Amino acid sequence: MGLYQRINAYTPEWMKDFYCLGTDCPNTCCKGWNIPVDQAHAEKYENLDDSELSPILMNVFKKIRVKKNGKQENRYFLKLLDQEGDLCPLLDKTRMCRLQKKYGSEILCTTCYFFPKILWQIEDQWSLSASLSCPEVLRKAILSTDPIRFSWIETDQDPDSEWLDISLVSDKRMQMLLLNRQKIVDIMIMLLQNKNDLIPNKLFCVCAFLNRLGILLNSEENSSFDLMIAEAVDYIHKNGINPVRPVDSVEDLARWLQLLSLTFNWGLESSARYHTDIQKDFLQLLSYAKNPLIIMAENYLFARNQVFYPFLRNNPYLLENFLVHFIFSDFLKQFSIYQNETTNVSNILQFEILQLCAVFSLMQFLFVKQSLISGEMDSSIFLEVIHQADQSYLHYPMYISQSMRHFPNMPLKEEDIRMLLSC
């Protein structure tokens, strides 16, 4: 259509056949959020001369003034959260956009045009992922029984995509790490797709690979990055790993829950000191004078062993595919920290290891919690848990970053990794 340049992007192969389900979608992306509008389309909306649609559009279209770098700027968005049912009023009865039907897709702001696709760029390298809040993305990304493969496809360039200018990164080792992101991700996914081991052990291998790569990057030797990757992989294969043992005692699970509570700031351990005694007494009263963490651990252990584990044994690819999607979409995406002069390669990789372990623990907790609530687990419930987690947590990388700061040990110790993966 001419509005966007065509680029080649690295992406999961299922994205080649991805398309919006439109009226067949069980959900809609035009609900429940305020949609950012780019400057070019904001001007189109303000000047649209349409007696039927302009009044509806202007009711949802909002402009605010913000201060950035000492200057005032306009920001525009479609404020769906002010609408009835948080639904865009431009949708017709079939939940199709009336603007698009009348004027074509070029009338859509860049957010609406590209969503749920997510593009990001490091120098001239483009990667394309997609949000798990879309039911069709969720189905294609998670339900495949074949290993997810990746390739290059031609796609439109999103002018609002995330972009990292390597020239702004002063550390040469960090530049090397970022410019080779795709190679690192490919190795991590290869380790995760090893069919001869359990998920916690495979994740431990991924963490060991990243840790070894960090050591090699910080060494004084002047090896090429390809040699460093090969050496890091070879190190894992030669040394092997001790299996991650799933915790089976209530006491150990209570310690794991306490660690999760601290990391994600759930409040079980984070009350102000003068509130601690009151909170403890109240919780003990509700739990019949038993430690609430012990009750949580008992319920967790029952639901995990009786419901979730049997389901996972019959559907081992589901959790693997979620983790593959998460790694591809989120690894080395905290772009803002790379301009921080106090950070280094080791800090970044330690953060990535912790993020991967913590997100795995969080998802395991959410799956088991839903198993306890529902009394069962099937693929639809599994996908719904991921959908809800994506909307409330995974979709906001800054929230992940803030949560990680609560973790007690950095750099991460091996026993911390094992504890997080042992759930």
Side-chain angles (χ1 to χ4, degrees):
M1 65 180 191
L3 284 182
Y4 305 107
Q5 293 180 339
R6 299 292 284 177
I7 58 165
N8 287 315
Y10 193 61
T11 188
E13 288 190 345
W14 57 260
M15 285 290 288
K16 294 178 181 178
D17 304 318
F18 173 80
Y19 63 92
C20 175
L21 295 179
T23 56
D24 295 327
C25 182
N27 205 336
T28 176
C29 52
C30 307
K31 179 181 180 179
W33 60 314
N34 294 328
I35 300 175
V37 176
D38 57 287
Q39 177 77 34
H41 284 90
E43 293 175 3
K44 283 188 178 184
Y45 294 165
E46 289 179 318
N47 297 313
L48 185 67
D49 184 14
D50 187 307
S51 58
E52 176 194 6
L53 296 180
S54 290
I56 302 173
L57 177 58
M58 287 300 102
N59 182 53
V60 72
F61 178 74
K62 305 295 178 183
K63 176 172 69 173
I64 59 173
R65 297 278 286 171
V66 297
K67 195 171 185 179
K68 184 177 181 182
N69 299 326
K71 297 181 180 179
Q72 292 288 331
E73 294 182 358
N74 291 332
R75 295 286 174 85
Y76 309 91
F77 55 95
L78 303 177
K79 196 169 184 181
L80 305 190
L81 296 180
D82 268 0
Q83 307 303 311
E84 183 178 353
D86 296 339
L87 197 66
C88 182
L90 289 163
L91 295 181
D92 62 18
K93 292 182 179 179
T94 65
R95 291 199 169 187
M96 294 297 290
C97 178
R98 285 183 277 183
L99 271 179
Q100 182 180 1
K101 287 174 73 173
K102 189 168 185 177
Y103 296 101
S105 59
E106 66 182 34
I107 198 66
L108 296 175
C109 65
T110 54
T111 305
C112 291
Y113 180 80
F114 284 98
F115 192 84
K117 296 177 180 179
I118 301 171
L119 272 164
W120 69 94
Q121 177 187 12
I122 300 177
E123 289 293 283
D124 59 349
Q125 302 173 32
W126 287 90
S127 296
L128 173 64
S129 186
S131 171
L132 293 173
S133 62
C134 168
E136 182 65 358
V137 169
L138 196 60
R139 185 182 69 82
K140 285 183 172 292
I142 307 299
L143 291 186
S144 174
T145 55
D146 295 321
I148 305 299
R149 301 294 182 225
F150 298 83
S151 62
W152 295 87
I153 66 169
E154 190 177 48
T155 187
D156 290 329
Q157 175 186 351
D158 180 359
D160 294 328
S161 60
E162 296 181 80
W163 176 53
L164 179 64
D165 185 352
I166 292 294
S167 66
L168 300 177
V169 179
S170 57
D171 189 293
K172 298 300 181 185
R173 294 184 177 95
M174 208 178 302
Q175 287 184 6
M176 191 183 300
L177 179 74
L178 296 167
L179 286 171
N180 288 277
R181 177 191 185 274
Q182 180 186 314
K183 293 178 181 178
I184 302 170
V185 166
D186 285 344
I187 295 296
M188 294 169 70
I189 291 174
M190 177 198 74
L191 292 171
L192 195 57
Q193 290 179 334
N194 171 17
K195 296 302 181 184
N196 298 320
D197 215 336
L198 300 175
I199 289 284
N201 296 333
K202 294 190 287 188
L203 278 177
F204 192 87
C205 282
V206 170
C207 295
F209 162 74
L210 293 178
N211 187 59
R212 185 63 182 174
L213 185 61
I215 292 172
L216 294 171
L217 274 168
N218 281 318
S219 69
E220 296 302 319
E221 296 180 11
N222 228 352
S223 299
S224 71
F225 198 84
D226 287 344
L227 286 176
M228 290 185 196
I229 286 184
E231 185 177 336
V233 173
D234 192 50
Y235 176 85
I236 305 302
H237 291 324
K238 281 184 177 178
N239 290 276
I241 63 162
N242 295 320
V244 176
R245 303 293 182 189
V247 292
D248 288 315
S249 75
V250 169
E251 291 74 18
D252 285 343
L253 269 171
R255 284 193 288 272
W256 173 74
L257 288 166
Q258 186 175 0
L259 189 61
L260 274 194
S261 173
L262 182 65
T263 302
F264 296 108
N265 200 23
W266 289 345
L268 293 172
E269 298 296 326
S270 62
S271 297
R273 188 170 184 84
Y274 58 86
H275 284 158
T276 302
D277 290 341
I278 297 174
Q279 181 197 51
K280 182 178 178 182
D281 290 344
F282 181 67
L283 288 173
Q284 285 186 341
L285 176 65
L286 291 178
S287 56
Y288 302 98
K290 202 172 194 178
N291 185 337
L293 280 168
I294 295 295
I295 291 180
M296 290 173 65
E298 289 172 344
N299 291 333
Y300 183 95
L301 192 61
F302 171 80
R304 187 197 70 178
N305 292 348
Q306 301 301 317
V307 181
F308 187 61
Y309 269 7
F311 168 77
L312 209 56
R313 281 194 289 269
N314 293 326
N315 303 276
Y317 57 91
L318 292 174
L319 191 52
E320 176 188 296
N321 288 348
F322 163 74
L323 291 167
V324 166
H325 182 89
F326 181 78
I327 288 172
F328 179 78
S329 300
D330 289 87
F331 181 73
L332 295 182
K333 283 289 294 296
Q334 302 286 335
F335 286 172
S336 60
I337 69 173
Y338 304 131
Q339 281 88 44
N340 185 339
E341 292 183 1
T342 63
T343 195
N344 55 46
V345 164
S346 294
N347 290 341
I348 289 172
L349 290 177
Q350 284 292 316
F351 172 85
E352 294 295 340
I353 291 170
L354 175 54
Q355 175 179 247
L356 185 58
C357 293
V359 166
F360 171 75
S361 292
L362 174 69
M363 296 307 297
Q364 184 90 2
F365 177 87
L366 294 176
F367 290 133
V368 173
K369 182 199 78 169
Q370 194 58 48
S371 298
L372 186 65
I373 293 172
S374 305
E376 62 177 346
M377 176 61 68
D378 59 28
S379 58
S380 63
I381 295 174
F382 189 93
L383 294 184
E384 180 59 27
V385 171
I386 294 177
H387 172 76
Q388 294 299 331
D390 183 76
Q391 287 194 314
S392 61
Y393 182 80
L394 301 174
H395 188 60
Y396 301 99
M398 187 54 66
Y399 185 26
I400 295 178
S401 180
Q402 290 169 351
S403 294
M404 297 305 100
R405 294 192 186 103
H406 295 295
F407 197 83
N409 296 325
M410 285 295 279
L412 211 59
K413 300 175 183 177
E414 182 176 320
E415 54 263 35
D416 296 323
I417 297 175
R418 289 185 177 278
M419 170 64 81
L420 286 167
L421 297 180
S422 66
C423 51

